């Protein structure tokens, strides 16, 4: 039997002699392999959109009176200069089909040289935001193409709107998770406290995902299947029924609502 001498990190090479037969089976009989789970863990897969979308700016909320007299709460969304196709990715070049869109014009000095070079390559204006829309096909798009909202959507369509919610800082369980408060009278000293968070000896720890006080808001949220109530071409605004993420001035991403089996495949 062949012997392999491995220097000991403590006593030196003269006090350590390890036989190959004592090594684990996985190191002697099989080559070292990376598990499939480890390979795909770092891969980020972009969800496919039902169609090309645009970026917009939230302006605020108001009440909209329909012709029949019904009052509908709507969010007014405006558009700054942009929504221009800056890059087209295909299956052959990048492994998937998507369209990159730029929004909100800024000064040249607001961007870095790599960002300016990326936009100058297609002859686009300097823009602050760049986002991708993964599609089933990108044949109908071309570089430096301007996307107009009223050409992509019409009144009555359903859209998915995503944005960053308003940050509310560190909040307690009542505001963050809608917990009920304790008795306020009869000698109770537990008014807005969280209460018990688990047993002591078993399991002897707090389960992950426990609803507790912490940072609230400031995260990305998507609200699905919202109805377009009004498209005003003169004011260049759109009125969408309901509330949208963020405060006035927030960046929004508007895409056609996903309806599995109709405008997006089941797989």
């Amino acid at each position: 039997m062949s012997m392999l001498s491995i220097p000991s990190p403590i006593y030196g090479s003269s006090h350590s002699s390890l036989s190959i037969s004592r090594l684990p089976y996985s190191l002697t009989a099989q080559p070292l392999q990376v598990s499939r789970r480890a390979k795909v863990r770092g891969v980020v897969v972009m969800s496919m959109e039902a169609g090309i979308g645009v970026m917009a700016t939230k302006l605020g909320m108001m009440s909209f009176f329909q012709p029949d007299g019904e009052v509908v709460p709507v969010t007014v969304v405006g558009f700054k200069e942009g929504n221009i196709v800056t890059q087209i990715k295909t299956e052959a070049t990048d492994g998937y089909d998507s369209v990159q869109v730029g929004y909100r014009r800024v000064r040249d000095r607001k961007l870095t040289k790599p960002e300016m070079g990326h936009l100058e390559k297609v002859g686009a204006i300097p823009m602050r935001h760049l986002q991708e829309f993964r599609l089933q096909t990108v044949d109908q798009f071309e570089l430096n193409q301007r996307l107009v909202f009223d050409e992509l959507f019409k009144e009555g369509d359903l859209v998915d709107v995503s944005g960053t919610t308003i940050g509310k800082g560190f909040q307690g369980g009542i505001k963050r998770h809608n917990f009920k408060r304790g008795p306020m009278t009869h000698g109770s000293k537990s008014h807005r406290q969280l209460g018990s968070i688990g047993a002591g000896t078993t399991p002897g720890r707090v389960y992950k995902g426990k609803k507790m006080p912490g940072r609230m808001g400031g995260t990305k949220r998507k609200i699905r299947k919202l109805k377009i109530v009004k498209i005003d071409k003169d004011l260049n605004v759109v009125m969408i029924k309901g509330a949208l993420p963020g405060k006035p001035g927030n960046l929004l991403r508007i895409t056609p609502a996903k309806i599995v089996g109709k405008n997006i495949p089941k797989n």
Side-chain angles (χ1 to χ4, degrees):
M1 180 182 299
S2 59
M3 302 293 291
L4 176 63
S5 297
I6 301 178
S8 174
I10 301 177
Y11 302 103
S13 59
S14 60
H15 292 79
S16 177
S17 180
L18 179 64
S19 172
I20 292 181
S21 61
R22 298 177 58 185
L23 292 176
Y25 174 77
S26 59
L27 296 180
T28 57
Q30 295 179 349
L32 184 61
Q33 296 180 353
V34 180
S35 63
R36 181 179 180 272
R37 183 178 179 181
K39 290 183 178 180
V40 301
R41 182 177 298 173
V43 177
V44 178
V45 180
M46 183 192 308
S47 61
M48 184 174 296
E49 302 291 352
I52 190 65
V54 296
M55 285 176 281
T57 303
K58 180 178 179 178
L59 301 180
M61 293 195 67
M62 60 174 289
S63 297
F64 179 80
F65 292 83
Q66 292 186 341
D68 57 356
E70 181 184 0
V71 181
V72 180
V74 297
T75 301
V76 184
V77 177
F79 299 92
K80 298 184 179 181
E81 192 171 1
N83 282 319
I84 299 174
V85 177
T86 57
Q87 186 179 6
I88 299 176
K89 296 185 178 182
T90 61
E91 184 75 25
T93 58
D94 298 273
Y96 63 98
D97 296 329
S98 69
V99 175
Q100 185 187 85
V101 180
Y103 176 71
R104 190 180 176 184
R105 182 167 188 169
V106 293
R107 297 180 181 179
D108 297 356
R109 61 185 180 87
K110 294 289 186 179
L111 301 179
T112 62
K113 289 185 177 181
E115 292 172 340
M116 285 296 302
H118 176 70
L119 296 174
E120 291 175 353
K121 186 183 301 183
V122 297
I125 59 176
M127 289 175 288
R128 166 70 68 188
H129 306 286
L130 296 177
Q131 291 192 11
E132 285 188 8
F133 298 86
R134 184 174 180 180
L135 307 174
Q136 302 180 39
T137 177
V138 294
D139 298 335
Q140 66 272 27
F141 300 99
E142 58 184 12
L143 294 176
N144 210 12
Q145 175 184 350
R146 187 175 298 273
L147 303 177
V148 183
F149 187 87
D150 55 350
E151 296 178 358
L152 303 175
F153 303 92
K154 62 180 183 297
E155 295 180 1
D157 288 351
L158 299 179
V159 293
D160 294 342
V161 183
S162 60
T164 304
T165 60
I166 299 176
K168 300 181 182 298
F170 192 96
Q171 300 296 332
I174 292 180
K175 183 172 183 178
R176 191 184 187 201
H177 301 293
N178 299 319
F179 287 174
K180 293 182 179 180
R181 71 181 187 183
M184 302 299 290
T185 58
H186 298 283
S188 173
K189 297 182 179 180
S190 176
H191 304 309
R192 297 177 65 94
Q193 284 80 355
L194 187 64
S196 175
I197 58 175
T201 304
T202 304
R205 61 185 178 87
V206 179
Y207 287 116
K208 291 185 177 180
K210 180 73 175 177
K211 292 182 179 180
M212 300 179 69
R215 292 285 294 274
M216 180 180 178
T219 57
K220 183 178 180 180
R221 287 291 182 269
K222 176 185 287 187
I223 304 179
R224 302 194 61 241
K225 297 183 179 180
L226 297 177
K227 183 179 179 181
I228 299 177
V229 177
K230 179 71 174 179
I231 298 178
D232 195 324
K233 298 181 181 179
D234 298 332
L235 299 177
N236 195 25
V237 297
V238 177
M239 300 179 186
I240 301 177
K241 184 178 181 179
L244 302 182
K247 59 181 65 177
N250 189 40
L251 176 69
L252 298 176
R253 175 188 173 107
I254 305 175
T255 57
K258 294 182 181 181
I259 302 178
V260 179
K262 292 186 177 181
N263 55 12
I264 190 169
K266 294 183 179 181
N267 57 353

